[in-house]
Every structure is written in structure tokens, then in C-alpha cells.
Amino acid sequence: DALPIWSGAKINDDIWVTGQLGLASMGLASLHRKLKLAPRLKTKCINALEVPTPKVSLGSHLSRYTNSCIDISDGLIQDLNHILKASKVGAALVLNDIPCEKFIHTSKQYQFVLNGGDDYELLFTAPKNNRSYIKTIAKKTNTAVNIIGTITHKKDLKILNEQGKSVTFNLRGFDHFA
């Protein structure tokens, strides 16, 4: 039985994501009139929801440089938890390093980034010495990538602010069947 590709995260791996997180869930909230957005941002978010762009070309080149990889369909926290559980490790995420719309930082509505589903961006872990390879592949495939944290030995998930202090959120992800 082959292990899932999300079971190989190693302690001290960088945690990476592609693209911008939270757009699709902001689009959904805006369609349900639960979030008021400026017209251009609303259009961008609804497009992200209705026409996601899977990062296939980057993903196909990453495998030899990464230890684990999953696509973010249930939300960053829930999908990262799949990796952490399967790999028997923990993580520390830096909230301000997570790529998202400025609106999220100014409104402090981090639930869109942390729990929002349907982003279809990649979440992957890789040894620190593979950073330059990953950045080169990202450039060649025209894909934005960001390091958002580190895999830790403590089997928990910490989300840190700019000062390195732990912040708490509802850590459940998006449930497609709720």
C-alpha cells in the first residue's frame, strides 16, 4: 500500500503554499451577501471560486524536491492537519507570511485564509536546502510561492503573529458536507 503524498513531512521542513489563499471563500461569502467587497475584489474572488486554476505544472515538477504535498480544498488548517497527522509532526505558521488579499489583514478576517475551502492551491513541505530549486521551478511555471512556516517536532499546530506570539482561531477547516 503506497503512503499518501502528504505523509512525508520532516521536522524543520519549510511549509510552502502557492498563490493567494482565501479568495474562493471570500467569493462565496460575498455571493451569500455575508461579506461586502469592492467590485474589483468581488469579481476576483468570485472568479477564484468559479474558475479555480489548479497548479498542475508546478506540482508535476515539485515531487523530487518536496517531502509532502496536498491541494488546499478544505482550507489551509484542515489540509495542513492532514499532513501533520499522517507525518506525525507539528507546525508553526506565521500569519503575516500567508499570502492573501490586503483586505484580510486590514479587516482581520483570517477565517477566509485559515478555514476557507476551494482554493485549490498547493500546500507542500520541503527541506530548507531545496528553496532555490523550488523558487526556480515556480518562476519557470509562473507560479507564486511563499514559505509560511516550519514543521516542528511538537505534534500541534501553532499560528504566530509578527512578534512570534501564538494566536488562536477556530482551527476547523471547511466541511464540504456540513
Side-chain angles (χ1 to χ4, degrees):
D1 225 10
L3 286 171
I5 53 173
W6 58 85
S7 67
K10 307 272 183 282
I11 293 165
N12 292 325
D13 272 5
D14 288 325
I15 301 169
W16 296 76
V17 292
T18 60
Q20 267 192 317
L21 302 187
L23 294 174
S25 60
M26 286 168 55
L28 187 63
S30 132
L31 287 173
H32 288 271
R33 292 184 170 74
K34 292 178 180 164
L35 180 66
K36 193 151 178 45
L37 296 171
R40 283 178 71 183
L41 181 55
K42 181 177 180 172
T43 302
K44 180 179 181 179
C45 292
I46 291 170
N47 281 341
L49 174 69
E50 294 177 348
V51 194
T53 313
K55 303 302 185 277
V56 179
S57 61
L58 176 78
S60 64
H61 296 341
L62 275 180
S63 60
R64 69 171 152 245
Y65 302 108
T66 60
N67 287 329
S68 64
C69 186
I70 193 170
D71 81 328
I72 303 174
S73 57
D74 298 332
L76 175 62
I77 297 303
Q78 194 165 310
D79 288 317
L80 179 57
N81 273 324
H82 293 315
I83 288 178
L84 300 182
K85 230 182 210 152
S87 305
K88 297 176 176 62
V89 292
L93 294 183
V94 181
L95 193 56
N96 274 19
D97 290 347
I98 301 171
C100 62
E101 277 295 327
K102 195 176 174 178
F103 168 87
I104 290 174
H105 289 298
T106 44
S107 66
K108 303 280 186 239
Q109 295 195 51
Y110 291 107
Q111 73 274 15
F112 293 114
V113 171
L114 298 174
N115 299 338
D118 296 324
D119 277 321
Y120 298 101
E121 296 294 345
L122 294 179
L123 166 65
F124 57 96
T125 71
K128 292 183 185 334
N129 59 355
N130 286 352
R131 284 179 181 172
S132 62
Y133 299 116
I134 291 167
K135 287 177 180 170
T136 301
I137 295 167
K139 200 172 195 157
K140 280 184 182 159
T141 59
N142 199 23
T143 308
V145 293
N146 285 281
I147 297 171
I148 63 167
T150 307
I151 294 294
T152 62
H153 68 282
K154 248 186 158 171
K155 293 183 181 66
D156 63 359
L157 172 56
K158 285 200 179 345
I159 299 171
L160 309 172
N161 63 17
E162 312 89 289
Q163 291 78 37
K165 298 234 186 311
S166 227
V167 287
T168 47
F169 292 96
N170 167 4
L171 295 184
R172 284 189 17 253
F174 179 74
D175 184 351
H176 292 282
F177 304 104

